[in-house]
Amino acid sequence: MEKETRTPPSYLTDDDEVDSRRDIVRKLGKYATYAAPFTVLAFSAKADTGSSTGPSARRARKH
Amino acid sequence: MFPSRLAVLSPSQIWQFPVSECSVLARPDFPGLYILNRTATRAWRLLTAGKSFDAGVRDFVQHYGIPKARALGDLQRTWDHWEQTVLASSTEDVGTPVEVPVSNTRGGFVADYALEGKSVRIMVDDPGLELDIAPRVAPLLVESVAQPDITLSACFSETGYHVFVNSTWIGTEHEPNAARLLLLQEFVRSVRNSDWIAILHAAACGLKNRCILFPAASQSGKTTLSVALMRAGLDFYTDDSAPIERGAFTVSAMPFSLMVRQGSWPAVTDYFPGFRNLPVYSRYGQDVKFFSPPVRHRCETPDVASIVFSRWQPDAATSLTPLDSFEGLLRLKDSGFWIAHDRASIQSFLDWLQRLPIYELIYSDVVEAVVIAQRLLVE
């Protein structure tokens, strides 16, 4: 007889594949708001056309 | 694993500002803001609390209920990105430019202007830049004066367009339209001896002592909307630079003509029939006209009632959608801004932004957009 494997309801195991948001909502309820972390740079410039030269612009291009 | 640099990270190295449930980071040595969404903010807090990478992964799995592989991948990518940006060491000397240009404007365009009792001389040695500036300042043109109060000059060299105020170098721009923006901002700042905490790349229209800021990308319908608002009786404050006064957070009105592209001519002519007789200029391959807004008795430094990100869209149903501060910041990033780069100024600006109503306005009928703007001004 196969041993039934029960998935704890409070979190997903490593083997779970949750690819769609619909699956997340269904399985996780209140945890459905996960969005991958992101960080965007808002470069501060008075003219802000992306064409400035000088140290500030060089750093901006690096970032 | 989180690298050992975490052990030496101190609050003094990175400025941190909470914004609703998200956050903004800034480096003292770099003129920009890093905007973090909610999950990145949580990751940053784990980082600065000294948590190990494994502990961070466990936290994300437990808090968000995501697979461990997902948490591990997302956090590793986030950390790698921060290593190259927010936490990157800076080897460049950013205190002074490599070479400070010297004002050597010779001949070319020279004319005098008057604003609020002060005389301003503009000297430009590049024909292209002259054509970008002269029509905008034409409403302020006066007879030549013996000794102007303020001199603004711009000269062109192989490194770009260099802008000066009374022989003090202000900045260098690679493009003439950017140099024009900088020069006209300095025009107003010098006359009013202003202390600006920020400049938003936005139009502004309003009534009495309140205005709405319309940050928007070029050719988004902003000028046509501004003209429609003027026709409806609103005051026009600025077309593309909205300086924000430190402390009061009022807008400093820019008294220059606005450029109207050919696509907007019919709409403007409907509102101001005299527009059809204005001369045509050629700018960057397009036919344009310069329109001087009607002068009314108005407040020169209006309060900001709200920020509206507007977009004309053919056949769209008019809609006004509230945005939170985080979304507002992302939109401002796209439209462009400058903030005085010190911790107190950034904190003050973000505090002000979080108090303001922020909206997205989508419309195809400009009359409906005007009605919405009028309603926002009286709320």
Side-chain angles (χ1 to χ4, degrees):
Chain A
M1 179 183 295
E2 287 186 348
K3 183 177 180 181
E4 184 180 8
T5 302
R6 297 187 60 198
T7 302
S10 61
Y11 63 91
L12 298 175
T13 65
D14 292 350
D15 292 335
D16 277 356
E17 292 185 1
V18 179
D19 295 323
S20 70
R21 185 177 176 80
R22 190 182 307 115
D23 285 338
I24 292 176
V25 170
R26 177 172 60 81
K27 291 184 180 180
L28 303 179
K30 66 176 181 177
Y31 296 120
T33 57
Y34 180 77
F38 72 81
T39 302
V40 295
L41 169 64
F43 182 58
S44 176
K46 289 184 176 180
D48 195 44
T49 62
S51 70
S52 299
T53 59
S56 296
R58 289 200 293 274
R59 290 198 298 276
R61 285 192 287 273
K62 175 184 172 185
H63 284 244
Chain B
M1 295 293 294
F2 287 158
S4 60
R5 94 175 64 227
L6 278 182
V8 300
L9 186 68
S10 71
S12 64
Q13 290 177 291
I14 306 294
W15 300 333
Q16 305 174 48
F17 310 91
V19 175
S20 300
E21 295 181 349
C22 304
S23 59
V24 169
L25 305 178
R27 295 172 52 134
D29 64 338
F30 181 74
L33 303 181
Y34 298 93
I35 305 169
L36 279 62
N37 72 341
R38 187 181 306 183
T39 42
T41 297
R42 188 174 184 89
W44 180 263
R45 288 175 185 155
L46 291 168
L47 201 77
T48 53
K51 299 290 184 183
S52 69
F53 187 79
D54 288 346
V57 171
R58 287 195 299 274
D59 177 275
F60 262 50
V61 169
Q62 191 163 22
H63 184 80
Y64 293 110
I66 57 175
K68 180 179 177 181
R70 176 74 187 271
L72 195 150
D74 285 352
L75 284 175
Q76 188 63 58
R77 271 189 296 276
T78 299
W79 172 246
D80 289 345
H81 178 64
W82 287 343
E83 259 196 314
Q84 297 167 24
T85 56
V86 182
L87 298 171
S89 60
S90 177
T91 58
E92 292 184 75
D93 175 8
V94 300
T96 55
V98 174
E99 179 180 342
V100 178
V102 176
S103 174
N104 62 349
T105 304
R106 301 178 296 275
F109 174 81
V110 181
D112 291 342
Y113 303 88
L115 178 64
E116 296 170 11
K118 291 190 179 174
S119 56
V120 181
R121 176 165 296 167
I122 293 179
M123 303 166 58
V124 176
D125 70 356
D126 178 75
L129 186 55
E130 172 195 338
L131 291 175
D132 215 27
I133 290 175
R136 285 181 164 85
V137 292
L140 307 177
L141 186 66
V142 296
E143 294 290 328
S144 178
V145 301
Q147 191 67 38
D149 297 311
I150 299 160
T151 298
L152 302 167
S153 58
C155 61
F156 177 73
S157 75
E158 60 185 9
T159 55
Y161 298 87
H162 313 290
V163 178
F164 300 84
V165 176
N166 298 329
S167 300
T168 299
W169 178 60
I170 297 300
T172 295
E173 300 290 342
H174 192 58
E175 299 295 331
N177 56 332
R180 178 255 305 166
L181 273 172
L182 191 59
L183 188 142
L184 294 186
Q185 288 167 6
E186 287 300 315
F187 188 127
V188 173
R189 193 198 61 75
S190 301
V191 164
R192 297 176 181 159
N193 200 26
S194 300
D195 182 12
W196 295 336
I197 193 171
I199 301 173
L200 304 188
H201 296 288
C205 291
L207 210 53
K208 296 182 180 178
N209 63 341
R210 285 163 58 87
C211 75
I212 297 173
L213 291 175
F214 296 94
S218 179
Q219 303 192 57
S220 63
K222 175 164 53 74
T223 299
T224 302
L225 178 58
S226 294
V227 172
L229 290 170
M230 283 188 263
R231 184 66 180 87
L234 271 64
D235 294 323
F236 171 80
Y237 293 101
T238 182
D239 184 42
D240 50 22
S241 291
I244 308 297
E245 296 279 352
R246 183 182 299 277
F249 285 93
T250 52
V251 173
S252 193
M254 306 288 273
F256 310 119
S257 297
L258 59 157
M259 188 180 79
V260 185
R261 294 182 175 83
Q262 189 169 16
S264 298
W265 290 0
V268 179
T269 304
D270 284 345
Y271 297 132
F272 299 98
F275 180 83
R276 65 167 56 89
N277 300 321
L278 294 179
V280 178
Y281 297 82
S282 179
R283 287 293 174 278
Y284 313 111
Q286 298 183 65
D287 285 344
V288 302
K289 293 187 178 185
F290 291 90
F291 173 61
S292 181
V295 177
R296 299 190 177 95
H297 294 289
R298 69 180 188 195
C299 171
E300 292 297 330
T301 54
D303 292 319
V304 179
S306 58
I307 295 178
V308 176
F309 295 91
S310 63
R311 186 173 82 249
W312 179 84
Q313 196 170 301
D315 302 321
T318 302
S319 64
L320 185 71
T321 306
L323 302 176
D324 61 23
S325 305
F326 173 70
E327 185 64 33
L329 266 176
L330 292 180
R331 301 287 183 111
L332 284 178
K333 164 193 166 296
D334 292 337
S335 60
F337 64 88
W338 168 85
I339 301 174
H341 201 68
D342 60 85
R343 189 197 292 262
S345 293
I346 296 171
Q347 183 68 70
S348 293
F349 176 83
L350 293 175
D351 289 343
W352 171 71
L353 189 70
Q354 292 182 81
R355 294 194 297 268
L356 273 180
I358 306 175
Y359 303 94
E360 176 187 62
L361 169 64
I362 297 177
Y363 66 98
S364 57
D365 185 334
V366 71
V367 173
E368 293 180 356
V370 168
V371 169
I372 287 176
Q374 290 173 314
R375 192 184 77 214
L376 289 175
L377 282 170
V378 298
E379 286 181 352

